[in-house]
Amino acid sequence: MAWNEPGGGNKDPWSGGGDQGPPDLDEVVRKLQERLGGLFGGKGGGQGGPSGGPGRDLSLRLIGVAVAVLVVIWLASGIYIVGPAERGVETRFGELTETTGPGPHWHIPAPIESVTKVNVDEIATFSHKASMLTQDENIVDVELTVQSRIQDAANYLFQDQNPEKTLRDATVTVVRVTIGGSKLDYVMTEGRSAVAVTIKERIQALMDQYKTGLEVTTVNMQPAKPPEQVKAAFDDAIKAREDKERIENQAEAYANEVLPRARGEAARIIADAKAYRDKVIAESEGEAARFSAILTEYQKAPEVTRERLYLETMEQVLGDNAKVVLDVEDGGNSLMYLPIDQMLKQSATPAQSGQAVSAPAAATPASASGAGEAMPQRIVDRERRTR
């Protein structure tokens, strides 16, 4: 007889015997609705009918709203703002995903993604001081200050465990190598700036090699100090170097003053020499042209030209003489011509100063008459010979 036939006792093979049946699904939903309604302030038990009615719908809506609000709050927690001097490093489950610049940004909220802000404009400074051995086996005290900042935020956070310690260790190594390869005089005098530049470049090379993300901005090296036993001698050497530079500057200033003047004087002398050359050449060319003209005239009339040259020459020779001598022809006596006007001018000066002046002796009538008769004729003859 089947279990569901009359008289079968209503026994089904899944009940395990007895009168207990399977759990009612509607009863389970109702109980769950009552519990949730109690959490949100609703009333339980039978007011909404078998399926819960309006109370169940209100509870589900409240749950949806609460979940939506929580989701919005969770998503909004991923908004972050990076400052002008900062860089944002985003990671997803600890792995680097992106580096962001200044401004507002968003990332998937925790625990999926996180962001770390790094200040890339902040300058970090530390000092290093030590006694070191130079190339020429001298001991020198060196003190320097190293300034750095973060250049690559991602490398700074993930490539090196302690970038600041790496920078200090690299500075110690580079300083010892650089000072050990330089001489004491060079480190203490004119090579101090060059040594500082070399140290900065070598430290930066190590920082790039180790990918620390740091940039060495400045290396300020203080004046190196010698040991106390020889400090006085080194002070004298520094003073001598300063005196040398001062004298060199004075000599350069003097040279800058003298050389332009000498160049100007040389240019003036050269210009005068060129002018004198041009003058001599012009005079020589004029004399040559004059000689050629005289030669032409001489070839035409030798006697007249010879007499003319003689008279011009004597005029040049005796032109500054105050006395005039006339050649008397036909065996006459020579007559001396006295320039009375010049003698009066010479005697006027002592007379004004109060000195007595004696009048010139008067010529004898005979000589005066002879001069008056012969002078005009001789002057005419002279003019004829000149022509």
Side-chain angles (χ1 to χ4, degrees):
M1 182 180 294
W3 64 272
N4 54 356
E5 292 182 358
N10 197 25
K11 294 180 181 180
D12 61 89
W14 296 282
S15 61
D19 298 335
Q20 184 178 5
D24 190 359
L25 181 60
D26 293 337
E27 183 68 19
V28 173
V29 172
R30 185 181 62 79
K31 291 182 178 180
L32 179 62
Q33 180 182 359
E34 290 177 355
R35 292 180 181 180
L36 292 176
L39 292 175
F40 292 97
K43 295 181 180 180
Q47 296 181 359
S51 61
R56 180 183 178 187
D57 295 339
L58 178 61
S59 298
L60 293 177
R61 286 197 297 270
L62 291 175
I63 292 173
V65 170
V67 171
V69 170
L70 292 176
V71 171
V72 170
I73 294 175
W74 180 71
L75 293 176
S77 65
I79 299 175
Y80 67 96
I81 297 177
V82 180
E86 296 177 336
R87 296 294 183 271
V89 180
E90 296 182 3
T91 56
R92 182 177 300 159
F93 299 114
E95 182 182 0
L96 175 66
T97 58
E98 185 182 3
T99 301
T100 58
H105 301 276
W106 181 84
H107 69 93
I108 302 175
I112 299 177
E113 289 186 353
S114 61
V115 61
T116 303
K117 298 178 182 180
V118 180
N119 191 335
V120 297
D121 285 349
E122 182 180 2
I123 301 297
T125 305
F126 73 92
S127 300
H128 175 69
K129 183 179 181 180
S131 297
M132 300 181 183
L133 190 66
T134 61
Q135 184 181 8
D136 49 359
E137 299 181 354
N138 288 314
I139 298 177
V140 62
D141 296 334
V142 178
E143 182 178 1
L144 51 87
T145 302
V146 179
Q147 294 181 343
S148 62
R149 68 177 185 90
I150 299 175
Q151 183 181 22
D152 192 325
N155 288 342
Y156 177 79
L157 292 176
F158 299 104
Q159 294 295 333
D160 197 300
Q161 184 177 4
N162 193 344
E164 286 78 9
K165 185 177 183 301
T166 303
L167 177 60
R168 292 177 180 271
D169 295 340
T171 300
V172 174
T173 302
V174 169
V175 170
R176 291 190 179 276
V177 171
T178 305
I179 299 300
S182 304
K183 294 184 178 180
L184 180 62
D185 292 341
Y186 181 74
V187 175
M188 294 184 59
T189 55
E190 72 275 4
R192 181 164 60 93
S193 300
V195 169
V197 173
T198 302
I199 292 175
K200 178 179 178 297
E201 293 175 352
R202 291 180 176 178
I203 294 176
Q204 186 61 54
L206 289 178
M207 294 297 99
D208 296 340
Q209 181 180 353
Y210 296 149
K211 297 182 179 180
T212 59
L214 295 177
E215 178 187 8
V216 180
T217 58
T218 307
V219 174
N220 295 323
M221 184 175 178
Q222 303 298 326
K225 299 178 181 179
E228 293 295 334
Q229 294 80 358
V230 294
K231 187 175 182 302
F234 276 95
D235 291 341
D236 293 340
I238 294 175
K239 184 179 179 181
R241 178 176 58 85
E242 293 176 352
D243 293 340
K244 172 178 172 291
E245 294 178 355
R246 178 177 56 82
I247 294 174
E248 287 179 351
N249 293 334
Q250 292 178 354
E252 185 176 358
Y254 177 74
N256 294 333
E257 179 183 358
V258 172
L259 287 178
R261 188 187 308 167
R263 292 191 183 99
E265 186 69 18
R268 186 185 62 81
I269 293 174
I270 293 174
D272 292 345
K274 290 181 178 179
Y276 177 74
R277 179 197 62 187
D278 296 339
K279 176 184 176 183
V280 171
I281 292 175
E283 290 179 351
S284 301
E285 291 176 351
E287 291 291 334
R290 177 175 173 274
F291 180 80
S292 300
I294 295 175
L295 178 61
T296 303
E297 297 296 329
Y298 180 79
Q299 291 175 350
K300 294 179 180 179
E303 293 297 333
V304 176
T305 305
R306 188 182 298 111
E307 183 69 18
R308 177 184 173 186
L309 292 175
Y310 172 76
L311 294 177
E312 289 178 354
T313 303
M314 294 305 296
E315 183 178 359
Q316 293 178 359
V317 174
L318 301 177
D320 297 333
N321 194 357
K323 297 180 181 181
V324 178
V325 179
L326 299 178
D327 188 11
V328 180
E329 296 180 356
D330 300 334
N333 295 327
S334 298
L335 176 64
M336 180 178 293
Y337 170 74
L338 298 178
I340 304 300
D341 54 347
Q342 298 295 331
M343 295 177 65
L344 292 176
K345 290 180 181 179
Q346 294 178 2
S347 61
T349 303
Q352 293 176 358
S353 61
Q355 297 180 358
V357 180
S358 59
T364 58
S367 59
S369 61
E373 294 176 357
M375 186 180 301
Q377 184 64 31
R378 287 175 174 76
I379 292 176
V380 173
D381 296 339
R382 179 182 178 185
E383 289 296 333
R384 287 178 181 173
R385 289 194 299 270
T386 304
R387 294 176 184 173

Tab-separated table of all heavy atoms in Angstrom, residues 21-80:
chain	number	residue	atom	x	y	z
A	21	GLY	N	6.514	17.103	10.002
A	21	GLY	CA	6.679	17.340	8.575
A	21	GLY	C	7.829	18.290	8.305
A	21	GLY	O	8.529	18.752	9.217
A	22	PRO	N	8.084	18.595	7.046
A	22	PRO	CA	9.184	19.531	6.696
A	22	PRO	C	8.871	20.938	7.166
A	22	PRO	O	7.700	21.297	7.344
A	22	PRO	CB	9.219	19.455	5.160
A	22	PRO	CG	7.852	19.019	4.769
A	22	PRO	CD	7.343	18.126	5.864
A	23	PRO	N	9.918	21.804	7.436
A	23	PRO	CA	9.697	23.176	7.918
A	23	PRO	C	8.953	23.988	6.867
A	23	PRO	O	9.147	23.827	5.664
A	23	PRO	CB	11.107	23.728	8.158
A	23	PRO	CG	11.982	22.924	7.288
A	23	PRO	CD	11.352	21.549	7.223
A	24	ASP	N	8.054	24.858	7.356
A	24	ASP	CA	7.265	25.714	6.476
A	24	ASP	C	8.102	26.915	6.059
A	24	ASP	O	8.620	27.656	6.906
A	24	ASP	CB	6.002	26.155	7.209
A	24	ASP	CG	5.027	26.845	6.260
A	24	ASP	OD1	5.380	26.969	5.066
A	24	ASP	OD2	3.963	27.270	6.720
A	25	LEU	N	8.285	27.139	4.712
A	25	LEU	CA	9.103	28.239	4.191
A	25	LEU	C	8.488	29.580	4.538
A	25	LEU	O	9.192	30.531	4.883
A	25	LEU	CB	9.263	28.097	2.670
A	25	LEU	CG	10.120	29.166	1.987
A	25	LEU	CD1	11.546	29.144	2.547
A	25	LEU	CD2	10.147	28.919	0.477
A	26	ASP	N	7.196	29.661	4.497
A	26	ASP	CA	6.535	30.929	4.841
A	26	ASP	C	6.775	31.282	6.304
A	26	ASP	O	6.957	32.459	6.654
A	26	ASP	CB	5.035	30.821	4.575
A	26	ASP	CG	4.721	30.698	3.085
A	26	ASP	OD1	5.603	31.132	2.293
A	26	ASP	OD2	3.641	30.212	2.729
A	27	GLU	N	6.846	30.276	7.133
A	27	GLU	CA	7.087	30.541	8.559
A	27	GLU	C	8.513	31.070	8.786
A	27	GLU	O	8.737	31.968	9.587
A	27	GLU	CB	6.867	29.252	9.355
A	27	GLU	CG	7.008	29.410	10.864
A	27	GLU	CD	5.895	30.258	11.453
A	27	GLU	OE1	4.847	30.419	10.788
A	27	GLU	OE2	6.080	30.793	12.575
A	28	VAL	N	9.425	30.529	8.044
A	28	VAL	CA	10.826	31.008	8.178
A	28	VAL	C	10.952	32.447	7.741
A	28	VAL	O	11.584	33.283	8.395
A	28	VAL	CB	11.772	30.104	7.361
A	28	VAL	CG1	13.178	30.679	7.361
A	28	VAL	CG2	11.769	28.696	7.936
A	29	VAL	N	10.302	32.814	6.616
A	29	VAL	CA	10.357	34.200	6.129
A	29	VAL	C	9.686	35.127	7.106
A	29	VAL	O	10.144	36.256	7.359
A	29	VAL	CB	9.707	34.287	4.734
A	29	VAL	CG1	9.583	35.741	4.295
A	29	VAL	CG2	10.504	33.494	3.721
A	30	ARG	N	8.612	34.684	7.683
A	30	ARG	CA	7.902	35.535	8.639
A	30	ARG	C	8.751	35.831	9.859
A	30	ARG	O	8.822	36.961	10.345
A	30	ARG	CB	6.590	34.870	9.022
A	30	ARG	CG	5.697	35.727	9.939
A	30	ARG	CD	4.454	34.966	10.274
A	30	ARG	NE	4.774	33.750	11.008
A	30	ARG	CZ	5.060	33.738	12.316
A	30	ARG	NH1	5.066	34.866	13.012
A	30	ARG	NH2	5.328	32.595	12.916
A	31	LYS	N	9.409	34.794	10.367
A	31	LYS	CA	10.263	35.015	11.536
A	31	LYS	C	11.431	35.960	11.224
A	31	LYS	O	11.791	36.812	12.026
A	31	LYS	CB	10.793	33.684	12.043
A	31	LYS	CG	9.720	32.803	12.664
A	31	LYS	CD	10.302	31.508	13.190
A	31	LYS	CE	9.231	30.646	13.852
A	31	LYS	NZ	9.789	29.365	14.376
A	32	LEU	N	12.005	35.793	10.061
A	32	LEU	CA	13.095	36.696	9.677
A	32	LEU	C	12.619	38.121	9.560
A	32	LEU	O	13.286	39.073	9.971
A	32	LEU	CB	13.715	36.231	8.340
A	32	LEU	CG	14.847	37.090	7.780
A	32	LEU	CD1	16.034	37.100	8.759
A	32	LEU	CD2	15.315	36.547	6.429
A	33	GLN	N	11.386	38.294	9.007
A	33	GLN	CA	10.807	39.635	8.888
A	33	GLN	C	10.568	40.239	10.259
A	33	GLN	O	10.792	41.432	10.471
A	33	GLN	CB	9.495	39.550	8.096
A	33	GLN	CG	8.817	40.901	7.920
A	33	GLN	CD	7.506	40.781	7.173
A	33	GLN	OE1	7.121	39.665	6.780
A	33	GLN	NE2	6.825	41.880	7.003
A	34	GLU	N	10.125	39.442	11.195
A	34	GLU	CA	9.891	39.966	12.536
A	34	GLU	C	11.194	40.426	13.191
A	34	GLU	O	11.250	41.460	13.850
A	34	GLU	CB	9.213	38.883	13.384
A	34	GLU	CG	7.772	38.590	12.967
A	34	GLU	CD	7.165	37.461	13.789
A	34	GLU	OE1	7.920	36.860	14.603
A	34	GLU	OE2	5.977	37.170	13.612
A	35	ARG	N	12.230	39.666	13.007
A	35	ARG	CA	13.514	40.050	13.611
A	35	ARG	C	14.057	41.352	12.982
A	35	ARG	O	14.527	42.238	13.674
A	35	ARG	CB	14.530	38.930	13.443
A	35	ARG	CG	14.164	37.695	14.271
A	35	ARG	CD	15.211	36.610	14.072
A	35	ARG	NE	14.847	35.418	14.853
A	35	ARG	CZ	15.574	34.296	14.872
A	35	ARG	NH1	16.693	34.233	14.137
A	35	ARG	NH2	15.182	33.268	15.595
A	36	LEU	N	14.020	41.430	11.663
A	36	LEU	CA	14.502	42.661	11.015
A	36	LEU	C	13.630	43.839	11.356
A	36	LEU	O	14.105	44.973	11.525
A	36	LEU	CB	14.540	42.471	9.484
A	36	LEU	CG	15.580	41.468	8.967
A	36	LEU	CD1	15.447	41.303	7.457
A	36	LEU	CD2	16.988	41.916	9.345
A	37	GLY	N	12.309	43.611	11.466
A	37	GLY	CA	11.415	44.683	11.859
A	37	GLY	C	11.724	45.166	13.256
A	37	GLY	O	11.614	46.361	13.554
A	38	GLY	N	12.090	44.255	14.152
A	38	GLY	CA	12.480	44.666	15.500
A	38	GLY	C	13.745	45.500	15.505
A	38	GLY	O	13.887	46.441	16.287
A	39	LEU	N	14.668	45.188	14.608
A	39	LEU	CA	15.907	45.986	14.536
A	39	LEU	C	15.627	47.396	14.051
A	39	LEU	O	16.243	48.369	14.502
A	39	LEU	CB	16.913	45.297	13.604
A	39	LEU	CG	17.488	43.967	14.112
A	39	LEU	CD1	18.380	43.340	13.047
A	39	LEU	CD2	18.278	44.184	15.418
A	40	PHE	N	14.711	47.586	13.106
A	40	PHE	CA	14.429	48.899	12.512
A	40	PHE	C	13.178	49.546	13.096
A	40	PHE	O	12.645	50.473	12.512
A	40	PHE	CB	14.278	48.780	10.988
A	40	PHE	CG	15.557	48.444	10.289
A	40	PHE	CD1	15.837	47.131	9.949
A	40	PHE	CD2	16.503	49.420	9.998
A	40	PHE	CE1	17.016	46.814	9.315
A	40	PHE	CE2	17.671	49.089	9.361
A	40	PHE	CZ	17.938	47.790	9.016
A	41	GLY	N	12.679	49.032	14.230
A	41	GLY	CA	11.550	49.674	14.901
A	41	GLY	C	10.210	49.228	14.411
A	41	GLY	O	9.206	49.867	14.710
A	42	GLY	N	10.080	48.157	13.604
A	42	GLY	CA	8.803	47.696	13.098
A	42	GLY	C	8.101	46.787	14.100
A	42	GLY	O	8.626	46.444	15.163
A	43	LYS	N	6.894	46.397	13.782
A	43	LYS	CA	6.086	45.511	14.632
A	43	LYS	C	6.064	44.124	14.023
A	43	LYS	O	5.897	43.973	12.834
A	43	LYS	CB	4.660	46.030	14.741
A	43	LYS	CG	4.589	47.371	15.448
A	43	LYS	CD	3.160	47.827	15.556
A	43	LYS	CE	3.059	49.171	16.252
A	43	LYS	NZ	1.651	49.643	16.376
A	44	GLY	N	6.251	43.129	14.830
A	44	GLY	CA	6.260	41.768	14.346
A	44	GLY	C	4.949	41.054	14.562
A	44	GLY	O	4.089	41.479	15.293
A	45	GLY	N	4.846	39.928	13.866
A	45	GLY	CA	3.761	38.998	14.120
A	45	GLY	C	2.445	39.324	13.489
A	45	GLY	O	1.742	40.183	13.926
A	46	GLY	N	2.071	38.768	12.429
A	46	GLY	CA	0.742	38.628	11.908
A	46	GLY	C	0.032	39.852	11.451
A	46	GLY	O	-1.093	39.780	11.076
A	47	GLN	N	0.593	41.043	11.531
A	47	GLN	CA	-0.123	42.222	11.087
A	47	GLN	C	-0.085	42.374	9.585
A	47	GLN	O	-0.926	43.042	9.020
A	47	GLN	CB	0.446	43.489	11.755
A	47	GLN	CG	0.258	43.502	13.250
A	47	GLN	CD	0.791	44.749	13.895
A	47	GLN	OE1	1.319	45.590	13.190
A	47	GLN	NE2	0.633	44.853	15.218
A	48	GLY	N	0.884	41.843	8.956
A	48	GLY	CA	1.001	41.997	7.513
A	48	GLY	C	0.506	40.824	6.746
A	48	GLY	O	0.750	40.740	5.549
A	49	GLY	N	-0.133	39.859	7.352
A	49	GLY	CA	-0.604	38.700	6.619
A	49	GLY	C	0.484	37.664	6.512
A	49	GLY	O	1.562	37.781	7.099
A	50	PRO	N	0.230	36.637	5.757
A	50	PRO	CA	1.190	35.549	5.649
A	50	PRO	C	2.517	35.978	5.059
A	50	PRO	O	3.565	35.491	5.438
A	50	PRO	CB	0.471	34.539	4.737
A	50	PRO	CG	-0.982	34.876	4.831
A	50	PRO	CD	-1.058	36.322	5.061
A	51	SER	N	2.568	36.918	4.104
A	51	SER	CA	3.820	37.318	3.456
A	51	SER	C	4.424	38.577	4.035
A	51	SER	O	5.368	39.105	3.490
A	51	SER	CB	3.575	37.510	1.950
A	51	SER	OG	2.612	38.544	1.760
A	52	GLY	N	3.963	39.128	5.070
A	52	GLY	CA	4.545	40.314	5.714
A	52	GLY	C	3.885	41.576	5.287
A	52	GLY	O	3.826	42.533	6.033
A	53	GLY	N	3.405	41.740	4.087
A	53	GLY	CA	2.685	42.927	3.626
A	53	GLY	C	3.560	44.162	3.575
A	53	GLY	O	4.746	44.115	3.267
A	54	PRO	N	2.969	45.357	3.876
A	54	PRO	CA	3.705	46.634	3.796
A	54	PRO	C	4.889	46.699	4.750
A	54	PRO	O	5.882	47.323	4.448
A	54	PRO	CB	2.643	47.657	4.151
A	54	PRO	CG	1.344	47.004	3.838
A	54	PRO	CD	1.522	45.566	4.147
A	55	GLY	N	4.852	46.116	5.879
A	55	GLY	CA	5.980	46.175	6.825
A	55	GLY	C	7.237	45.559	6.265
A	55	GLY	O	8.326	46.060	6.445
A	56	ARG	N	7.030	44.443	5.553
A	56	ARG	CA	8.209	43.795	4.952
A	56	ARG	C	8.830	44.674	3.860
A	56	ARG	O	10.041	44.823	3.778
A	56	ARG	CB	7.797	42.452	4.369
A	56	ARG	CG	8.942	41.700	3.728
A	56	ARG	CD	8.451	40.421	3.104
A	56	ARG	NE	9.530	39.718	2.452
A	56	ARG	CZ	9.377	38.636	1.716
A	56	ARG	NH1	8.157	38.123	1.551
A	56	ARG	NH2	10.411	38.049	1.156
A	57	ASP	N	8.025	45.298	3.014
A	57	ASP	CA	8.545	46.179	1.958
A	57	ASP	C	9.286	47.373	2.545
A	57	ASP	O	10.350	47.777	2.036
A	57	ASP	CB	7.389	46.664	1.085
A	57	ASP	CG	6.729	45.506	0.329
A	57	ASP	OD1	7.401	44.461	0.180
A	57	ASP	OD2	5.573	45.674	-0.080
A	58	LEU	N	8.767	47.955	3.611
A	58	LEU	CA	9.448	49.095	4.239
A	58	LEU	C	10.799	48.703	4.808
A	58	LEU	O	11.788	49.436	4.662
A	58	LEU	CB	8.555	49.668	5.354
A	58	LEU	CG	9.133	50.847	6.153
A	58	LEU	CD1	9.390	52.029	5.210
A	58	LEU	CD2	8.176	51.256	7.271
A	59	SER	N	10.850	47.548	5.404
A	59	SER	CA	12.127	47.094	5.967
A	59	SER	C	13.164	46.871	4.873
A	59	SER	O	14.340	47.247	5.011
A	59	SER	CB	11.903	45.789	6.748
A	59	SER	OG	11.011	46.001	7.821
A	60	LEU	N	12.724	46.277	3.758
A	60	LEU	CA	13.678	46.059	2.658
A	60	LEU	C	14.172	47.381	2.072
A	60	LEU	O	15.347	47.527	1.718
A	60	LEU	CB	13.015	45.209	1.571
A	60	LEU	CG	12.704	43.761	1.972
A	60	LEU	CD1	11.975	43.043	0.839
A	60	LEU	CD2	13.989	43.020	2.319
A	61	ARG	N	13.278	48.366	1.959
A	61	ARG	CA	13.698	49.681	1.453
A	61	ARG	C	14.711	50.347	2.379
A	61	ARG	O	15.683	50.941	1.943
A	61	ARG	CB	12.474	50.570	1.234
A	61	ARG	CG	11.657	50.186	0.014
A	61	ARG	CD	10.724	51.332	-0.377
A	61	ARG	NE	9.762	51.609	0.678
A	61	ARG	CZ	8.571	51.022	0.777
A	61	ARG	NH1	8.193	50.114	-0.117
A	61	ARG	NH2	7.746	51.346	1.760
A	62	LEU	N	14.461	50.237	3.675
A	62	LEU	CA	15.403	50.830	4.635
A	62	LEU	C	16.777	50.169	4.558
A	62	LEU	O	17.821	50.836	4.638
A	62	LEU	CB	14.827	50.710	6.046
A	62	LEU	CG	13.602	51.575	6.362
A	62	LEU	CD1	13.064	51.267	7.756
A	62	LEU	CD2	13.944	53.048	6.243
A	63	ILE	N	16.743	48.862	4.384
A	63	ILE	CA	18.031	48.162	4.242
A	63	ILE	C	18.761	48.630	2.983
A	63	ILE	O	19.974	48.885	2.984
A	63	ILE	CB	17.797	46.647	4.206
A	63	ILE	CG1	17.293	46.165	5.573
A	63	ILE	CG2	19.095	45.922	3.845
A	63	ILE	CD1	16.884	44.696	5.568
A	64	GLY	N	18.043	48.780	1.870
A	64	GLY	CA	18.684	49.248	0.629
A	64	GLY	C	19.251	50.643	0.754
A	64	GLY	O	20.357	50.931	0.274
A	65	VAL	N	18.497	51.537	1.406
A	65	VAL	CA	18.993	52.901	1.592
A	65	VAL	C	20.244	52.917	2.457
A	65	VAL	O	21.227	53.622	2.171
A	65	VAL	CB	17.891	53.793	2.207
A	65	VAL	CG1	18.454	55.147	2.628
A	65	VAL	CG2	16.753	53.981	1.215
A	66	ALA	N	20.228	52.132	3.533
A	66	ALA	CA	21.400	52.086	4.415
A	66	ALA	C	22.623	51.564	3.682
A	66	ALA	O	23.738	52.102	3.795
A	66	ALA	CB	21.083	51.222	5.639
A	67	VAL	N	22.410	50.514	2.896
A	67	VAL	CA	23.543	49.966	2.135
A	67	VAL	C	24.067	50.984	1.122
A	67	VAL	O	25.279	51.160	0.932
A	67	VAL	CB	23.115	48.654	1.452
A	67	VAL	CG1	24.211	48.184	0.483
A	67	VAL	CG2	22.835	47.585	2.488
A	68	ALA	N	23.140	51.703	0.443
A	68	ALA	CA	23.569	52.706	-0.543
A	68	ALA	C	24.354	53.830	0.110
A	68	ALA	O	25.367	54.296	-0.426
A	68	ALA	CB	22.341	53.251	-1.278
A	69	VAL	N	23.879	54.269	1.295
A	69	VAL	CA	24.604	55.337	2.002
A	69	VAL	C	25.993	54.873	2.390
A	69	VAL	O	26.988	55.600	2.248
A	69	VAL	CB	23.795	55.792	3.231
A	69	VAL	CG1	24.643	56.708	4.109
A	69	VAL	CG2	22.527	56.499	2.795
A	70	LEU	N	26.086	53.658	2.874
A	70	LEU	CA	27.408	53.124	3.251
A	70	LEU	C	28.319	53.016	2.032
A	70	LEU	O	29.523	53.312	2.108
A	70	LEU	CB	27.229	51.753	3.913
A	70	LEU	CG	26.547	51.747	5.290
A	70	LEU	CD1	26.356	50.326	5.788
A	70	LEU	CD2	27.357	52.563	6.288
A	71	VAL	N	27.778	52.623	0.900
A	71	VAL	CA	28.589	52.514	-0.316
A	71	VAL	C	29.087	53.890	-0.755
A	71	VAL	O	30.251	54.073	-1.148
A	71	VAL	CB	27.790	51.822	-1.436
A	71	VAL	CG1	28.544	51.914	-2.767
A	71	VAL	CG2	27.538	50.370	-1.091
A	72	VAL	N	28.196	54.914	-0.697
A	72	VAL	CA	28.596	56.271	-1.086
A	72	VAL	C	29.694	56.798	-0.157
A	72	VAL	O	30.675	57.402	-0.605
A	72	VAL	CB	27.363	57.205	-1.082
A	72	VAL	CG1	27.803	58.654	-1.253
A	72	VAL	CG2	26.404	56.811	-2.185
A	73	ILE	N	29.500	56.555	1.149
A	73	ILE	CA	30.530	57.011	2.106
A	73	ILE	C	31.851	56.304	1.842
A	73	ILE	O	32.935	56.914	1.867
A	73	ILE	CB	30.045	56.770	3.547
A	73	ILE	CG1	28.843	57.662	3.850
A	73	ILE	CG2	31.169	57.042	4.538
A	73	ILE	CD1	28.220	57.402	5.210
A	74	TRP	N	31.781	55.029	1.531
A	74	TRP	CA	33.005	54.272	1.260
A	74	TRP	C	33.706	54.777	-0.003
A	74	TRP	O	34.920	54.926	-0.032
A	74	TRP	CB	32.659	52.794	1.129
A	74	TRP	CG	33.854	51.926	0.848
A	74	TRP	CD1	34.862	51.605	1.687
A	74	TRP	CD2	34.129	51.270	-0.388
A	74	TRP	NE1	35.767	50.795	1.074
A	74	TRP	CE2	35.344	50.560	-0.220
A	74	TRP	CE3	33.464	51.190	-1.615
A	74	TRP	CZ2	35.905	49.796	-1.233
A	74	TRP	CZ3	34.034	50.422	-2.614
A	74	TRP	CH2	35.240	49.736	-2.430
A	75	LEU	N	32.916	55.047	-1.035
A	75	LEU	CA	33.515	55.573	-2.265
A	75	LEU	C	34.061	56.983	-2.071
A	75	LEU	O	35.101	57.348	-2.629
A	75	LEU	CB	32.472	55.569	-3.390
A	75	LEU	CG	32.004	54.198	-3.868
A	75	LEU	CD1	30.892	54.351	-4.906
A	75	LEU	CD2	33.163	53.389	-4.444
A	76	ALA	N	33.368	57.801	-1.277
A	76	ALA	CA	33.844	59.166	-1.050
A	76	ALA	C	35.128	59.204	-0.250
A	76	ALA	O	35.902	60.173	-0.329
A	76	ALA	CB	32.760	59.977	-0.328
A	77	SER	N	35.367	58.143	0.525
A	77	SER	CA	36.624	58.117	1.295
A	77	SER	C	37.851	57.981	0.412
A	77	SER	O	38.978	58.159	0.868
A	77	SER	CB	36.583	56.957	2.301
A	77	SER	OG	36.545	55.702	1.610
A	78	GLY	N	37.653	57.694	-0.870
A	78	GLY	CA	38.794	57.588	-1.784
A	78	GLY	C	39.223	58.909	-2.388
A	78	GLY	O	40.203	58.962	-3.123
A	79	ILE	N	38.503	59.988	-2.084
A	79	ILE	CA	38.886	61.302	-2.606
A	79	ILE	C	40.000	61.886	-1.734
A	79	ILE	O	39.896	61.881	-0.498
A	79	ILE	CB	37.668	62.246	-2.630
A	79	ILE	CG1	36.575	61.693	-3.543
A	79	ILE	CG2	38.096	63.641	-3.091
A	79	ILE	CD1	35.307	62.510	-3.527
A	80	TYR	N	41.051	62.385	-2.366
A	80	TYR	CA	42.154	63.016	-1.631
A	80	TYR	C	42.706	64.169	-2.456
A	80	TYR	O	42.546	64.224	-3.681
A	80	TYR	CB	43.249	62.003	-1.300
A	80	TYR	CG	43.991	61.462	-2.496
A	80	TYR	CD1	45.204	62.001	-2.909
A	80	TYR	CD2	43.461	60.402	-3.235
A	80	TYR	CE1	45.882	61.503	-4.000
A	80	TYR	CE2	44.128	59.898	-4.331
A	80	TYR	CZ	45.335	60.453	-4.714
A	80	TYR	OH	46.001	59.960	-5.812
